[in-house]
Amino acid sequence: MEQIPIADASRRFTTRVQAALFPTLAQSLVSLALLSLIGFVVYAFVDWALIRAVFSGSDGSVCRAPSAGACWPFITHKMGVFLYGRYPEAEIWRVNLTYVLALAGLTPLMLPGVPRKLLLSLYMLIVFPALAFILLRGGLLGLPLVGTELWGGLLLTLVIASVGIAASFPIGILLALARRSDLPIVRWAATGYIELVRGVPLVTVLFMASVMLPLFLPPDVTIDKLLRALVGVALFSAAYLAEVIRGGLQAIPRGQYEAADALGLGYWRKMGLVVLPQAIRIVIPGLVNSFISLFKDTSLVLIIGLFDLIGIVEQSVQADAKWFSPQTAATGYFFAGAVFWIFCFAMSRYSASLERKLENRGRS
């Protein structure tokens, strides 16, 4: 292998940078302005997060100095609340065990080359939800009952996001198929539902599920507030997923439908074995975008009294007088934003790798 001298490599790098950033006078000015802005933002963040930051202390008094930066002791002292909400400390092992069971099924399911994908899928869709419900709520197998009103923080965010994604995906597929149905009544019903739900904000759906729904129920009938929120989020997200999947169905060439009909496949086998796999492969970016949007929208449950990660951060800042300060609030919101970014970025990168793998498989 030919070795390139260091001087030549440096010269080539400089030439590429000059050609990319400073090809003309106008583009050079734009590049300099953007580089200056990026440098200013990076310096300001480093100054706030590291140089002027406070790294130790037992309350917010250490962070109230005018020159203080990020208040990291607030994060370390409140980490348990941010992760588990008001879940009883003696029962937190149940939450951790739920996370382990989820990773045990999800990790091999996402890794290529791992056998028995069907069994893993059945575990994640059937077995794990039952185990997670028993572990988190309790009341069975000798586990103390922990009401959903005590759930909060990252735990509640992950519960709403995972249940919303898992429930809305199959509903969205059925709605997309129904909207393309040859039966007018089915097509009209699906179209009406999709357009109605897409025409209102999620805040309205959550408000209706939390406040208005109990007014239509008998006085002795109550439905858990978290369950109502989960149903509202799933039905809301399903309408958007239906339109994404419908776009994939429309992109499938007519010849694929005719080939499936020529093989004598019925409607459901044709869709399940021929059409839907190709359609979902086409719309992976749109699906992941909807999942990321759903994950971020979990913060809206704060308006109905459920404290997800952002809600518990806000409550910790405002309700605890000894930690209250502008820097404490800024640090808490930065921590919540960083957690959301990590999860959303992970979903985005996984979808990109899945797209590349499917594209390479299609070429081969």
Side-chain angles (χ1 to χ4, degrees):
M1 184 175 180
E2 182 181 359
Q3 297 291 330
I4 301 176
I6 296 179
D8 291 343
S10 177
R11 191 179 303 109
R12 290 184 183 181
F13 175 76
T14 304
T15 303
R16 291 177 182 174
V17 171
Q18 183 177 359
L21 300 179
F22 311 105
T24 63
L25 177 60
Q27 294 179 352
S28 299
L29 294 176
V30 173
S31 297
L32 288 174
L34 290 177
L35 288 174
S36 300
L37 178 61
I38 294 172
F40 173 78
V41 172
V42 170
Y43 172 77
F45 173 76
V46 172
D47 178 61
W48 175 79
L50 298 176
I51 299 176
R52 295 187 294 109
V54 178
F55 293 95
S56 61
S58 58
D59 55 46
S61 61
V62 295
C63 304
R64 296 192 182 108
S67 60
C71 186
W72 298 119
F74 173 68
I75 303 299
T76 57
H77 280 75
K78 297 290 185 178
M79 183 61 72
V81 179
F82 293 163
L83 295 181
Y84 308 107
R86 293 183 294 132
Y87 207 90
E89 187 174 355
E91 305 297 326
I92 285 179
W93 66 269
R94 291 155 54 178
V95 181
N96 295 331
L97 179 58
T98 303
Y99 290 157
V100 172
L101 293 175
L103 291 175
L106 191 60
T107 302
L109 189 62
M110 297 174 65
L111 293 177
V114 178
R116 304 185 183 278
K117 295 284 189 180
L118 179 59
L119 292 178
L120 291 171
S121 300
L122 293 176
Y123 165 77
M124 291 301 299
L125 293 176
I126 300 176
V127 178
F128 171 73
L131 292 176
F133 177 78
I134 294 174
L135 283 172
L136 294 178
R137 193 173 187 275
L140 296 172
L141 304 178
L143 296 174
L145 180 65
V146 179
T148 56
E149 68 276 3
L150 300 178
W151 301 11
L154 183 61
L155 166 64
L156 186 61
T157 296
L158 294 177
V159 167
I160 296 174
S162 58
V163 172
I165 291 173
S168 62
F169 186 61
I171 298 175
I173 292 177
L174 293 177
L175 287 173
L177 295 176
R179 187 161 187 176
R180 290 174 53 85
S181 174
D182 294 331
L183 298 175
I185 188 65
V186 174
R187 184 172 64 253
W188 294 341
T191 302
Y193 173 81
I194 291 172
E195 296 302 329
L196 175 64
V197 173
R198 292 174 67 222
V200 296
L202 179 57
V203 172
T204 304
V205 176
L206 292 174
F207 180 79
M208 291 289 293
S210 177
V211 179
M212 299 299 295
L213 179 61
L215 300 179
F216 298 94
L217 298 176
D220 57 339
V221 176
T222 59
I223 301 177
D224 186 83
K225 183 186 294 186
L226 177 58
L227 178 60
R228 282 178 274 158
L230 292 175
V231 172
V233 168
L235 295 178
F236 180 86
S237 179
Y240 285 86
L241 289 177
E243 287 299 276
V244 174
I245 296 171
R246 186 170 70 92
L249 293 174
Q250 291 178 337
I252 302 300
R254 187 63 188 174
Q256 296 294 315
Y257 294 86
E258 296 173 351
D261 292 334
L263 292 174
L265 298 179
Y267 177 80
W268 292 109
R269 293 186 65 190
K270 175 176 65 176
M271 289 298 169
L273 300 176
V274 178
V275 178
L276 276 175
Q278 298 181 71
I280 292 175
R281 172 182 172 181
I282 293 173
V283 298
I284 286 177
L287 290 176
V288 175
N289 182 64
S290 298
F291 293 155
I292 290 175
S293 178
L294 171 61
F295 186 85
K296 294 186 294 185
D297 285 345
T298 57
S299 60
L300 295 176
V301 298
L302 177 62
I303 68 167
I304 60 174
L306 297 175
F307 293 93
D308 72 316
L309 179 58
I310 294 181
I312 209 73
V313 167
E314 182 176 348
Q315 185 186 50
S316 299
V317 172
Q318 297 180 355
D320 195 342
K322 72 175 185 177
W323 283 106
F324 183 80
S325 73
Q327 295 299 340
T328 300
T331 307
Y333 286 124
F334 171 78
F335 171 77
V339 172
F340 271 85
W341 181 85
I342 289 172
F343 279 94
C344 294
F345 183 75
M347 286 189 284
S348 175
R349 290 300 88 200
Y350 177 73
S351 70
S353 65
L354 184 61
E355 285 182 71
R356 289 193 297 269
K357 183 182 70 173
L358 294 176
E359 184 178 355
N360 295 332
R361 182 183 299 176
R363 290 176 179 176
S364 60

